[in-house]
Amino acid sequence: KNIHTELVDIDMTLQAIAIRTTYPMNFVFCNVYLDHGLRITEIQDKLDNLIRQLGHNFILTGDFNAHNAIWGSHKTDGRGRTIEELIDEHSLIIKNENQPTHLASSNNRLTAIDVTLCTQGLSDEFDWTVLDDLSGSDHFPILLSFTQYAQNMTRREKYNTNTADWTKYRQNINF
């Protein structure tokens, strides 16, 4: 509620949503889903188009339905190679830490098809963690924590109850 965000208007046919925020710094956060039916050439063109619209400071995360050893998969497929080329072309940083992000329902095998990418300016600003509980999904939740700003976001207001005038308080309570 306390963090200003605005929806970013992105022109595309991918299933994606992007927001811009200024806290803890000015950046765009985009979540994308790459459908199994997308051809490799479509992925390359559409992701390239999306990346160009996000600006110079962004986090791009989502279900890429792609395998590549560089983000923790046991194999590399054509989709994974295409995404790797885009990562290189745009000088993006992969935040995945070689952990599975998905439990394949067909064979109960753990895979890493969810990928989190960011621009170089954001690379050291947040940590990437996979949570243990599937919470009813076949994808493990991914937690992105801003390291430097985490203290400010979790600080609670404290009250000194030792100096309270409890008699006056009781007299002024309306039931």
Side-chain angles (χ1 to χ4, degrees):
K1 290 181 178 180
N2 298 333
I3 299 173
H4 174 74
T5 60
E6 61 185 54
L7 193 61
V8 176
D9 186 26
I10 46 179
D11 178 28
M12 67 170 10
T13 56
L14 284 178
Q15 294 181 49
I17 188 166
I19 59 166
R20 182 179 327 283
T21 186
T22 56
Y23 187 86
M25 65 196 62
N26 191 9
F27 74 99
V28 172
F29 181 86
C30 182
N31 191 302
V32 66
Y33 171 69
L34 299 182
D35 189 276
H36 287 284
L38 285 173
R39 295 187 318 264
I40 291 175
T41 54
E42 287 180 295
I43 291 171
Q44 185 171 5
D45 293 342
K46 291 179 181 198
L47 266 183
D48 185 60
N49 180 33
L50 173 62
I51 290 168
R52 292 182 191 284
Q53 293 179 67
L54 296 179
H56 66 278
N57 218 22
F58 65 84
I59 296 170
L60 175 61
T61 190
D63 181 355
F64 284 65
N65 278 311
H67 300 274
N68 195 308
I70 63 173
W71 59 72
S73 291
H74 298 289
K75 63 181 181 178
T76 298
D77 61 12
R79 290 175 139 228
R81 278 189 291 280
T82 298
I83 293 166
E84 181 180 357
E85 290 170 10
L86 283 167
I87 291 168
D88 290 341
E89 179 183 331
H90 292 279
S91 301
L92 300 177
I93 306 298
I94 302 166
K95 292 300 289 187
N96 292 48
E97 296 183 4
N98 295 320
Q99 292 177 280
T101 61
H102 176 253
L103 178 64
S105 57
S106 59
N107 58 10
N108 283 340
R109 185 172 183 175
L110 293 171
T111 63
I113 59 173
D114 303 292
V115 183
T116 302
L117 308 171
C118 70
T119 52
Q120 291 180 4
L122 287 172
S123 178
D124 294 332
E125 300 295 332
F126 69 96
D127 293 326
W128 183 93
T129 308
V130 178
L131 303 181
D132 295 333
D133 188 358
L134 283 167
S135 303
S137 175
D138 57 346
H139 292 263
F140 292 96
I142 295 171
L143 177 66
L144 305 178
S145 305
F146 280 88
T147 53
Q148 181 178 350
Y149 304 94
Q151 297 169 358
N152 296 339
M153 294 178 77
T154 58
R155 189 180 310 158
R156 290 187 181 175
E157 196 170 327
K158 295 181 182 180
Y159 299 95
N160 184 354
T161 57
N162 296 330
T163 60
D165 184 346
W166 291 111
T167 304
K168 185 176 180 181
Y169 176 78
R170 282 189 208 94
Q171 291 171 351
N172 291 307
I173 283 184
N174 292 323
F175 290 98

